[in-house]
Amino acid sequence: QGSLGRLEDLSVWVAACQGACPPRPFTRARVVVFAGDHGVAAAGVSAYPTEVTAQMLANFEAGGAAINLLAEVAGATVRVADIAVDVAEPLSPSIGKHKVRRGSGNIAVEDALSAEEVHAALQAGRQIADDEVDAGADLLIAGDMGIGNTTPATTLIAALTDSEPVAVVGRGTGVDDAGWARKTAAIRDALYRSRTAAGDPVGLLRICGGADVAAMAGFCAQAAVRRTPVLLDGLV
C-alpha cells in the first residue's frame, strides 16, 4: 500500500491531528495511566484480587512496571492518576488529585456511577489532557489499570456495536472457563440494565462503564479539542 507501509498511514494521521503537513516530530510524549477498581470484580470476573490495582499503581510510580520501561525506550514520561482505586488514601496528593470515588459500582447489579460522578470523571480526564498539553505534551498516550476493568470495557463495546457478549468477551487477565462464564453473565446483566441508554454515550459510561473509563473518554475528547494526537495503550 505504498513504500512506507503502515508508517505512511501513521504520518497521515499525525498530520491530520496537528493540522500540519509534513507533521512535526514528537518531542514530548506523555503516558497517562488512569486507574480504578470495579465492583464487578466481586462477581469473579478476574483471575486477580482487587488489591493488585493499588500494588500496581505503586509499581508504576516507582518506575518498575513494563510501561515505565517502554516509555523510557520511547523517550516518553509516565503519569499515574487514581480516579477510582478502592483505597482510602491515594499514594500521593498528586496521584489522587482527580479521584472521583473508591471503586465503581458493580455494573451487573447497579450503576457504575451517579450522574454527578460520571461528569466529574469526564471533567477529570479533560483537565488532565489540558494540563499535559499546557505543559508541552505533543503526543498523549492513555492507558488503564484496574482489576475487573475489561468487563465494563467489553460491556461498552457490546452496547455500542449491538453485539452478543459471547462474541466480544475475552479472557482478560487469563480467567479459566468458569471465570469466563461468570464474566459473560455479568456483561449480559449489565447490558440488560443499560438497554435504556442506547445512543447516550454518557449514560452508558454512567450505567455500565466506570470512573476510569469515563476519565479516559474525557481525556481523548479534550485531546481532540486541543489538536493533540492521542493513542489508546489498552491495559498497561
Side-chain angles (χ1 to χ4, degrees):
Q1 296 182 356
S3 59
L4 297 178
R6 186 163 180 262
L7 183 60
E8 185 170 358
D9 293 335
L10 289 170
S11 66
V12 170
W13 170 71
V14 174
C17 291
Q18 294 179 344
C21 185
R24 298 181 297 273
F26 296 123
T27 60
R28 187 181 182 275
R30 183 69 153 163
V31 179
V32 180
V33 179
F34 293 87
D37 282 307
H38 297 268
V40 73
V45 299
S46 174
Y48 296 94
T50 55
E51 291 80 9
V52 171
T53 302
Q55 294 169 7
M56 285 300 301
L57 244 62
N59 198 23
F60 293 145
E61 189 66 5
I67 189 61
N68 299 100
L69 176 60
L70 293 171
E72 183 179 358
V73 170
T77 54
V78 178
R79 172 179 179 176
V80 178
D82 175 355
I83 306 297
V85 179
D86 191 13
V87 292
E89 296 294 335
L91 288 177
S92 70
S94 60
I95 290 176
K97 180 180 179 181
H98 297 287
K99 193 178 183 79
V100 173
R101 58 178 283 171
R102 287 186 60 177
S104 298
N106 181 351
I107 60 173
V109 297
E110 62 183 340
D111 290 349
L113 305 165
S114 68
E116 294 77 14
E117 287 167 343
V118 71
H119 285 289
L122 286 165
Q123 182 55 36
R126 295 189 188 105
Q127 186 61 59
I128 291 171
D130 275 338
D131 290 346
E132 296 303 332
V133 174
D134 289 343
D138 54 7
L139 174 65
L140 298 174
I141 304 170
D144 59 325
M145 174 62 214
I147 298 303
N149 59 6
T150 61
T151 299
T154 304
T155 304
L156 290 169
I157 290 170
L160 292 169
T161 62
D162 194 24
S163 301
E164 287 294 321
V166 292
V168 291
V169 68
R171 297 277 175 173
T173 50
V175 293
D176 57 18
D177 288 345
W180 184 90
R182 291 191 295 270
K183 184 175 181 180
T184 303
I187 292 169
R188 183 178 294 111
D189 290 343
L191 279 174
Y192 180 78
R193 294 186 55 262
S194 66
R195 66 194 185 283
T196 58
D200 177 8
V202 175
L204 288 174
L205 288 169
R206 177 180 62 79
I207 297 171
C208 61
D212 51 342
V213 182
M216 289 178 70
F219 182 80
C220 293
Q222 192 62 18
V225 170
R226 298 296 299 270
R227 299 191 68 87
T228 302
V230 59
L231 298 172
L232 289 177
D233 187 48
L235 299 180
V236 297

Short mmCIF file of all heavy atoms in Angstrom, two decimals, residues 133-172:
data_model
loop_
_atom_site.label_atom_id
_atom_site.label_comp_id
_atom_site.label_asym_id
_atom_site.label_seq_id
_atom_site.Cartn_x
_atom_site.Cartn_y
_atom_site.Cartn_z
N VAL A 133 -1.09 19.07 27.84
CA VAL A 133 -0.84 19.86 26.63
C VAL A 133 -0.24 21.21 27.01
O VAL A 133 0.70 21.69 26.37
CB VAL A 133 -2.13 20.02 25.81
CG1 VAL A 133 -1.90 20.97 24.63
CG2 VAL A 133 -2.63 18.67 25.31
N ASP A 134 -0.77 21.82 28.06
CA ASP A 134 -0.24 23.10 28.51
C ASP A 134 1.22 22.98 28.95
O ASP A 134 1.99 23.94 28.86
CB ASP A 134 -1.07 23.66 29.66
CG ASP A 134 -2.45 24.13 29.22
OD1 ASP A 134 -2.65 24.32 28.00
OD2 ASP A 134 -3.33 24.31 30.09
N ALA A 135 1.59 21.79 29.44
CA ALA A 135 2.96 21.56 29.89
C ALA A 135 3.89 21.20 28.74
O ALA A 135 5.08 20.96 28.96
CB ALA A 135 2.99 20.47 30.95
N GLY A 136 3.33 21.11 27.52
CA GLY A 136 4.17 20.87 26.35
C GLY A 136 4.03 19.52 25.69
O GLY A 136 4.73 19.24 24.71
N ALA A 137 3.15 18.66 26.19
CA ALA A 137 2.98 17.34 25.57
C ALA A 137 2.46 17.48 24.14
O ALA A 137 1.51 18.22 23.90
CB ALA A 137 2.03 16.48 26.39
N ASP A 138 3.10 16.80 23.20
CA ASP A 138 2.62 16.83 21.82
C ASP A 138 2.13 15.47 21.35
O ASP A 138 1.69 15.32 20.21
CB ASP A 138 3.71 17.36 20.88
CG ASP A 138 5.03 16.61 21.00
OD1 ASP A 138 5.07 15.59 21.72
OD2 ASP A 138 6.01 17.05 20.38
N LEU A 139 2.19 14.47 22.23
CA LEU A 139 1.59 13.15 21.97
C LEU A 139 1.13 12.60 23.30
O LEU A 139 1.92 12.49 24.24
CB LEU A 139 2.59 12.19 21.32
CG LEU A 139 2.09 10.75 21.13
CD1 LEU A 139 0.91 10.70 20.16
CD2 LEU A 139 3.22 9.84 20.65
N LEU A 140 -0.16 12.27 23.41
CA LEU A 140 -0.72 11.72 24.64
C LEU A 140 -1.04 10.25 24.43
O LEU A 140 -1.57 9.85 23.39
CB LEU A 140 -2.00 12.48 25.02
CG LEU A 140 -1.82 13.96 25.34
CD1 LEU A 140 -3.18 14.61 25.56
CD2 LEU A 140 -0.92 14.16 26.55
N ILE A 141 -0.72 9.45 25.43
CA ILE A 141 -0.98 8.01 25.39
C ILE A 141 -1.77 7.64 26.64
O ILE A 141 -1.29 7.84 27.75
CB ILE A 141 0.33 7.20 25.32
CG1 ILE A 141 1.16 7.65 24.12
CG2 ILE A 141 0.03 5.71 25.25
CD1 ILE A 141 2.56 7.10 24.10
N ALA A 142 -2.97 7.16 26.45
CA ALA A 142 -3.84 6.82 27.58
C ALA A 142 -3.84 5.32 27.83
O ALA A 142 -4.04 4.53 26.90
CB ALA A 142 -5.26 7.31 27.31
N GLY A 143 -3.61 4.94 29.06
CA GLY A 143 -3.69 3.54 29.45
C GLY A 143 -4.55 3.41 30.69
O GLY A 143 -4.87 4.41 31.34
N ASP A 144 -4.94 2.19 31.03
CA ASP A 144 -5.77 1.99 32.21
C ASP A 144 -5.25 0.84 33.04
O ASP A 144 -4.62 -0.09 32.53
CB ASP A 144 -7.24 1.77 31.83
CG ASP A 144 -7.42 0.55 30.94
OD1 ASP A 144 -6.54 0.30 30.11
OD2 ASP A 144 -8.45 -0.13 31.05
N MET A 145 -5.52 0.91 34.34
CA MET A 145 -5.13 -0.16 35.25
C MET A 145 -6.24 -0.34 36.28
O MET A 145 -6.65 0.63 36.93
CB MET A 145 -3.82 0.20 35.97
CG MET A 145 -3.42 -0.81 37.05
SD MET A 145 -3.15 -2.45 36.36
CE MET A 145 -3.72 -3.49 37.72
N GLY A 146 -6.73 -1.55 36.41
CA GLY A 146 -7.75 -1.82 37.41
C GLY A 146 -8.27 -3.23 37.27
O GLY A 146 -8.67 -3.64 36.16
N ILE A 147 -8.25 -3.98 38.34
CA ILE A 147 -8.76 -5.35 38.29
C ILE A 147 -10.26 -5.31 37.95
O ILE A 147 -11.02 -4.56 38.56
CB ILE A 147 -8.53 -6.06 39.64
CG1 ILE A 147 -7.03 -6.15 39.93
CG2 ILE A 147 -9.16 -7.44 39.63
CD1 ILE A 147 -6.22 -6.85 38.84
N GLY A 148 -10.65 -6.10 36.96
CA GLY A 148 -12.05 -6.15 36.52
C GLY A 148 -12.38 -5.17 35.43
O GLY A 148 -13.53 -5.11 34.98
N ASN A 149 -11.39 -4.39 34.96
CA ASN A 149 -11.72 -3.31 34.02
C ASN A 149 -12.09 -3.79 32.62
O ASN A 149 -12.73 -3.05 31.87
CB ASN A 149 -10.58 -2.28 33.94
CG ASN A 149 -9.26 -2.88 33.50
OD1 ASN A 149 -9.17 -4.06 33.15
ND2 ASN A 149 -8.22 -2.07 33.55
N THR A 150 -11.72 -5.01 32.23
CA THR A 150 -12.11 -5.46 30.90
C THR A 150 -13.60 -5.82 30.83
O THR A 150 -14.17 -5.90 29.75
CB THR A 150 -11.28 -6.67 30.44
OG1 THR A 150 -11.47 -7.77 31.33
CG2 THR A 150 -9.80 -6.32 30.37
N THR A 151 -14.24 -6.01 31.99
CA THR A 151 -15.68 -6.32 31.98
C THR A 151 -16.51 -5.11 31.57
O THR A 151 -17.34 -5.21 30.65
CB THR A 151 -16.12 -6.89 33.34
OG1 THR A 151 -15.39 -8.09 33.60
CG2 THR A 151 -17.60 -7.19 33.35
N PRO A 152 -16.34 -3.93 32.19
CA PRO A 152 -17.06 -2.76 31.68
C PRO A 152 -16.64 -2.37 30.27
O PRO A 152 -17.48 -1.93 29.48
CB PRO A 152 -16.73 -1.65 32.69
CG PRO A 152 -15.54 -2.12 33.42
CD PRO A 152 -15.63 -3.61 33.44
N ALA A 153 -15.35 -2.56 29.95
CA ALA A 153 -14.90 -2.23 28.59
C ALA A 153 -15.63 -3.09 27.57
O ALA A 153 -16.10 -2.59 26.53
CB ALA A 153 -13.39 -2.42 28.48
N THR A 154 -15.75 -4.37 27.86
CA THR A 154 -16.44 -5.28 26.94
C THR A 154 -17.93 -4.96 26.88
O THR A 154 -18.55 -5.03 25.81
CB THR A 154 -16.23 -6.74 27.37
OG1 THR A 154 -14.83 -7.00 27.46
CG2 THR A 154 -16.85 -7.69 26.36
N THR A 155 -18.51 -4.60 28.01
CA THR A 155 -19.93 -4.23 28.03
C THR A 155 -20.18 -3.03 27.14
O THR A 155 -21.16 -2.99 26.36
CB THR A 155 -20.38 -3.93 29.47
OG1 THR A 155 -20.10 -5.05 30.32
CG2 THR A 155 -21.86 -3.61 29.51
N LEU A 156 -19.32 -2.03 27.21
CA LEU A 156 -19.47 -0.84 26.37
C LEU A 156 -19.32 -1.19 24.89
O LEU A 156 -20.08 -0.70 24.05
CB LEU A 156 -18.45 0.21 26.77
CG LEU A 156 -18.68 0.88 28.14
CD1 LEU A 156 -17.47 1.69 28.55
CD2 LEU A 156 -19.92 1.76 28.09
N ILE A 157 -18.36 -2.04 24.57
CA ILE A 157 -18.19 -2.46 23.18
C ILE A 157 -19.43 -3.17 22.68
O ILE A 157 -19.94 -2.91 21.58
CB ILE A 157 -16.95 -3.37 23.05
CG1 ILE A 157 -15.67 -2.56 23.25
CG2 ILE A 157 -16.93 -4.06 21.67
CD1 ILE A 157 -14.42 -3.41 23.37
N ALA A 158 -19.96 -4.09 23.49
CA ALA A 158 -21.16 -4.83 23.09
C ALA A 158 -22.34 -3.89 22.93
O ALA A 158 -23.13 -4.02 21.97
CB ALA A 158 -21.47 -5.91 24.13
N ALA A 159 -22.48 -2.92 23.83
CA ALA A 159 -23.60 -1.98 23.75
C ALA A 159 -23.50 -1.09 22.52
O ALA A 159 -24.49 -0.83 21.84
CB ALA A 159 -23.65 -1.13 25.02
N LEU A 160 -22.30 -0.63 22.22
CA LEU A 160 -22.11 0.30 21.11
C LEU A 160 -22.16 -0.38 19.75
O LEU A 160 -22.47 0.25 18.74
CB LEU A 160 -20.77 1.03 21.26
CG LEU A 160 -20.69 2.01 22.44
CD1 LEU A 160 -19.26 2.47 22.66
CD2 LEU A 160 -21.61 3.21 22.21
N THR A 161 -21.86 -1.69 19.71
CA THR A 161 -21.85 -2.42 18.44
C THR A 161 -23.03 -3.36 18.31
O THR A 161 -23.13 -4.09 17.32
CB THR A 161 -20.55 -3.22 18.29
OG1 THR A 161 -20.46 -4.20 19.34
CG2 THR A 161 -19.33 -2.31 18.33
N ASP A 162 -23.92 -3.36 19.33
CA ASP A 162 -25.09 -4.25 19.33
C ASP A 162 -24.66 -5.70 19.13
O ASP A 162 -25.21 -6.41 18.29
CB ASP A 162 -26.08 -3.83 18.24
CG ASP A 162 -27.45 -4.48 18.42
OD1 ASP A 162 -27.77 -4.84 19.58
OD2 ASP A 162 -28.18 -4.64 17.43
N SER A 163 -23.66 -6.11 19.92
CA SER A 163 -23.12 -7.47 19.82
C SER A 163 -23.52 -8.30 21.03
O SER A 163 -23.76 -7.77 22.11
CB SER A 163 -21.59 -7.42 19.73
OG SER A 163 -21.16 -6.69 18.61
N GLU A 164 -23.56 -9.61 20.83
CA GLU A 164 -23.80 -10.52 21.94
C GLU A 164 -22.53 -10.62 22.78
O GLU A 164 -21.42 -10.60 22.24
CB GLU A 164 -24.18 -11.91 21.41
CG GLU A 164 -25.57 -11.98 20.83
CD GLU A 164 -26.63 -11.78 21.91
OE1 GLU A 164 -26.45 -12.28 23.04
OE2 GLU A 164 -27.64 -11.10 21.62
N PRO A 165 -22.67 -10.75 24.10
CA PRO A 165 -21.49 -10.84 24.96
C PRO A 165 -20.50 -11.92 24.54
O PRO A 165 -19.29 -11.69 24.53
CB PRO A 165 -22.08 -11.13 26.34
CG PRO A 165 -23.44 -10.52 26.30
CD PRO A 165 -23.92 -10.72 24.88
N VAL A 166 -21.00 -13.09 24.16
CA VAL A 166 -20.10 -14.19 23.80
C VAL A 166 -19.26 -13.87 22.57
O VAL A 166 -18.22 -14.48 22.35
CB VAL A 166 -20.89 -15.49 23.56
CG1 VAL A 166 -21.51 -15.99 24.87
CG2 VAL A 166 -21.95 -15.31 22.49
N ALA A 167 -19.71 -12.90 21.77
CA ALA A 167 -18.96 -12.55 20.55
C ALA A 167 -17.81 -11.61 20.84
O ALA A 167 -16.88 -11.50 20.02
CB ALA A 167 -19.91 -11.92 19.52
N VAL A 168 -17.83 -10.92 21.97
CA VAL A 168 -16.80 -9.91 22.23
C VAL A 168 -16.04 -10.13 23.53
O VAL A 168 -14.99 -9.52 23.73
CB VAL A 168 -17.43 -8.49 22.26
CG1 VAL A 168 -17.88 -8.08 20.87
CG2 VAL A 168 -18.59 -8.42 23.24
N VAL A 169 -16.54 -10.98 24.43
CA VAL A 169 -15.87 -11.16 25.71
C VAL A 169 -14.58 -11.95 25.53
O VAL A 169 -14.49 -12.88 24.74
CB VAL A 169 -16.80 -11.87 26.71
CG1 VAL A 169 -17.07 -13.32 26.30
CG2 VAL A 169 -16.23 -11.81 28.12
N GLY A 170 -13.55 -11.53 26.28
CA GLY A 170 -12.26 -12.21 26.24
C GLY A 170 -11.92 -12.80 27.59
O GLY A 170 -12.74 -12.84 28.52
N ARG A 171 -10.67 -13.23 27.71
CA ARG A 171 -10.22 -13.86 28.95
C ARG A 171 -9.64 -12.86 29.95
O ARG A 171 -9.31 -13.22 31.08
CB ARG A 171 -9.15 -14.91 28.62
CG ARG A 171 -9.67 -16.05 27.76
CD ARG A 171 -10.37 -17.10 28.59
NE ARG A 171 -10.97 -18.14 27.76
CZ ARG A 171 -11.52 -19.25 28.25
NH1 ARG A 171 -11.54 -19.46 29.55
NH2 ARG A 171 -12.07 -20.14 27.45
N GLY A 172 -9.50 -11.60 29.53
CA GLY A 172 -8.97 -10.60 30.44
C GLY A 172 -7.59 -10.97 30.94
O GLY A 172 -6.66 -11.14 30.16
#
